[in-house]
Amino acid sequence: MQLIDVGVQRYRCIEDSGVVPIEPGVTCLVGKNESGKTAFLRALFRINPVDASAGFDEVVDYPSRLTRERKTTEGYLRAVQATFRLGDDEVAAIEEELGAGVLTSRTLLVERGYRETAARYCVEVDESVAVNRLRRGLDLPPEHSVSVGVATTLDDLLAALVALPEPSEEVVDLLGRIRGWRERRLSLHVIDTYLSNWQPRFVYFADYDSMPGKVAIPRRDSGTLGRGGRAGIARPAVDGRGQARGLPGRTPSRAADPRGGKRRQQHQRRGVPLLVAESRPRVELRVLQPEPGAVPPLDQGPLLQVRVRNDRHRVSIPFDERSRGFVWFFSFLAYFSQLEEEAQRNGGRELILLLDEPGLSLHATAQDDLLALIEDRLAHHQVIYTTHSPFLVDLQRLRRTRTVTDVDDAGTRVSADLSTADPETAFPLQAALGFELAGSLFVEPHTVLVEGPSDLIYLDLLDAALAHAGRTTLDPRWAKVPVGGGGEPRDLR
């Protein structure tokens, strides 16, 4: 099931975001500080959150400018709406039970809002198709087959089956099956049996969700651990690109414990590493006992301490004293790996990742690596991330960029039309283009300066025509850079 568009209304600084198309892989939200990027992601998270407690608080979340509307409106108030598209396998599973063509549309509409804890679903179905499939195979006497055969709705089918004087075992089973559906409605049966179980879960992760240096292990199953704490007890998994940049390594291996519980107690007292991740630098996970006078929850042991050892400097320091970029990267990968493992155990349920300002503390080249990680490692899930860093804007995929703007007297608006963005919102895009131009000028050893973009197009077309004709083309080592407006050409030798 794939998310294809979303809209947020009446949530914090967002009065109406508009309908925002979502890419099948990665969607990038660009906007300045306080434009509403975080509010937009938080609203999306509440569509179907991995944290079941997440919901809409009418007092805290409702826009203050709309207080009068809130007080004068009774009943449900929508806050977020999402449209999903069903895949071929999902449609086939539903049609296997209810007949080909039972879904008149492949889209599922999901809403969440105020004053209702449950989500609202809308799916379009054709009852006549389902009725034909359900009555197929029933062994009915000729005098009763006509009344059952003319039924086109579930109510008509139920009435005809109930009127049978001596129902067969198949009829009794079918009656019990339909009566077990919520409100005896076909659409609700499809939602309850299939769609609500297939709906992807939303994962929200921000900088402040980074894991701490110590975690109280007994709190794991208490439901009180935050994302950072859950990341601390998760098994981290990072790809080779992360290793190349000195970021966390792949899944750590458990140290052997041949002498059983006594050896384990010695490890806990001395803080001997029980888990070691082979990386540069290396991450060590140690089991410790609480220190005297420790503040809750660290006063209850055992504790899991994360330390990072740098073999180059031969020093091991607590994880939360490392650079913020390293802490964020490791925390997210650990938390994500845990959620992915849980999803696999639950039948491979899809995740939609909402990353709020990811890698903001990373160096520019590491942010480029983060983009590659998103493409190579995360994009088999849908990913929506916010940024105002030019290094996290992929110029080769600008179609996936959405601008987030705070409009006077209208609140936050999200748009796929980049041309409508104000200069401050568009600045990361312009800066990214500037960095790419500067890279061509100062990094490429062979550079051809042309007057403007049109000359660049002419050169490319001529080059393609020469190549098609088998003639000599411009050496691919030359980088063509438009410098229109730069003044009269000068001898640059």
Side-chain angles (χ1 to χ4, degrees):
M1 190 180 297
Q2 176 186 309
L3 179 65
I4 57 176
D5 64 54
V6 293
V8 178
Q9 302 86 30
R10 309 181 187 94
Y11 182 74
R12 303 206 174 184
C13 62
I14 306 175
E15 296 180 17
D16 187 351
S17 68
V19 178
V20 183
I22 302 299
E23 295 292 323
V26 180
T27 303
C28 172
L29 304 177
V30 175
K32 61 184 181 180
N33 292 335
E34 302 299 320
S35 61
K37 302 188 301 295
T38 296
F40 187 77
L41 287 192
R42 284 182 171 273
L44 266 57
F45 174 60
R46 285 159 171 78
I47 295 172
N48 189 30
V50 291
D51 300 332
S53 60
F56 292 99
D57 188 320
E58 187 175 341
V59 176
V60 175
D61 297 331
Y62 211 91
S64 57
R65 276 179 19 96
L66 303 180
T67 301
R68 181 179 180 84
E69 174 194 76
R70 176 173 65 87
K71 292 182 177 180
T72 57
T73 304
E74 296 182 0
Y76 171 79
L77 287 165
R78 185 177 67 195
V80 61
Q81 176 179 284
T83 306
F84 297 87
R85 179 184 292 117
L86 275 65
D88 292 340
D89 293 344
E90 293 163 330
V91 172
I94 296 173
E95 291 183 342
E96 184 178 356
E97 179 196 2
L98 301 171
V102 67
L103 298 176
T104 59
S105 172
R106 285 193 169 210
T107 59
L108 167 68
L109 190 66
V110 182
E111 289 185 1
R112 293 291 298 271
Y114 301 94
R115 301 171 184 170
E116 288 185 10
T117 56
R120 290 187 173 189
Y121 298 87
C122 179
V123 61
E124 299 177 5
V125 295
D126 187 340
E127 279 197 10
S128 62
V129 172
V131 168
N132 286 334
R133 172 57 66 91
L134 292 172
R135 68 185 169 207
R136 189 178 67 183
L138 292 178
D139 186 12
L140 300 174
E143 63 271 20
H144 299 297
S145 61
V146 175
S147 60
V148 176
V150 298
T152 58
T153 67
L154 280 179
D155 289 339
D156 293 343
L157 179 62
L158 281 172
L161 294 177
V162 170
L164 296 176
E166 297 181 1
S168 63
E169 183 177 346
E170 292 83 0
V171 170
V172 173
D173 289 342
L174 180 57
L175 283 171
R177 181 175 159 194
I178 297 176
R179 286 168 175 167
W181 298 354
R182 180 158 54 107
E183 299 179 20
R184 301 179 184 179
R185 289 176 56 188
L186 176 63
S187 60
L188 295 181
H189 168 63
V190 172
I191 290 168
D192 295 342
T193 305
Y194 300 101
L195 303 183
S196 62
N197 297 319
W198 294 339
Q199 185 186 351
R201 296 193 303 165
F202 286 74
V203 179
Y204 176 83
F205 198 87
D207 184 59
Y208 52 78
D209 294 316
S210 296
M211 72 187 198
K214 290 182 182 179
V215 179
I217 296 177
R219 294 168 59 85
R220 177 172 188 176
D221 298 324
S222 64
T224 58
L225 278 177
R227 296 184 188 92
R230 276 176 282 172
I233 57 178
R235 297 173 60 201
V238 185
D239 69 356
R241 177 177 286 270
Q243 292 181 359
R245 292 290 180 184
L247 295 172
R250 294 197 66 86
T251 305
S253 58
R254 297 185 178 274
D257 189 6
R259 284 183 276 178
K262 184 176 180 180
R263 173 71 175 271
R264 188 175 189 85
Q265 292 174 2
Q266 293 174 350
H267 280 192
Q268 292 174 359
R269 286 197 301 268
R270 299 174 186 174
V272 178
L274 293 181
L275 299 173
V276 178
E278 293 299 328
S279 60
R280 302 181 183 87
R282 289 189 295 130
V283 178
E284 301 175 349
L285 305 183
R286 300 185 178 188
V287 177
L288 305 175
Q289 292 301 321
E291 298 178 357
V295 177
L298 300 181
D299 59 339
Q300 299 180 13
L303 305 176
L304 183 67
Q305 184 191 47
V306 184
R307 299 181 68 87
V308 180
R309 179 173 181 81
N310 192 317
D311 290 334
R312 178 180 179 184
H313 298 286
R314 299 180 181 179
V315 63
S316 174
I317 62 175
F319 172 77
D320 48 3
E321 295 180 16
R322 294 286 302 187
S323 69
R324 289 185 62 189
F326 180 92
V327 169
W328 180 92
F329 200 100
F330 188 90
S331 299
F332 167 71
L333 265 292
Y335 179 58
F336 169 71
S337 299
Q338 180 199 28
L339 290 176
E340 210 170 34
E341 289 180 2
E342 292 176 355
Q344 291 300 321
R345 289 196 297 269
N346 294 329
R349 193 168 186 176
E350 286 293 329
L351 301 174
I352 296 179
L353 307 180
L354 309 174
L355 308 183
D356 197 0
E357 300 287 357
L360 195 61
S361 301
L362 292 174
H363 183 270
T365 56
Q367 289 187 26
D368 185 61
D369 283 346
L370 177 59
L371 267 182
L373 174 74
I374 291 174
E375 292 292 337
D376 300 339
R377 174 74 171 86
L378 307 183
H380 63 282
H381 304 286
Q382 286 183 276
V383 180
I384 306 173
Y385 72 93
T386 67
T387 189
H388 48 67
S389 168
F391 303 106
L392 285 173
V393 176
D394 191 341
L395 294 176
Q396 305 303 318
R397 301 178 177 89
L398 277 179
R399 70 181 185 281
R400 72 185 190 187
T401 302
R402 311 287 182 263
T403 58
V404 184
T405 310
D406 188 6
V407 181
D408 292 340
D409 299 325
T412 296
R413 295 289 176 84
V414 185
S415 175
D417 186 356
L418 303 184
S419 64
T420 62
D422 61 84
E424 289 182 312
T425 302
F427 180 77
L429 304 176
Q430 297 169 345
L433 289 168
F435 281 120
E436 185 175 75
L437 175 61
S440 298
L441 285 172
F442 298 110
V443 177
E444 297 292 342
H446 303 85
T447 303
V448 176
L449 305 183
V450 298
E451 177 62 25
S454 58
D455 300 298
L456 184 64
I457 295 173
Y458 295 150
L459 279 178
D460 286 341
L461 290 174
L462 288 171
D463 215 37
L466 289 171
H468 181 72
R471 305 280 297 276
T472 303
T473 63
L474 186 67
D475 193 306
R477 292 177 297 175
W478 288 94
K480 301 180 288 293
V481 180
V483 291
E488 294 294 326
R490 294 180 297 169
D491 187 353
L492 300 179
R493 291 176 294 175

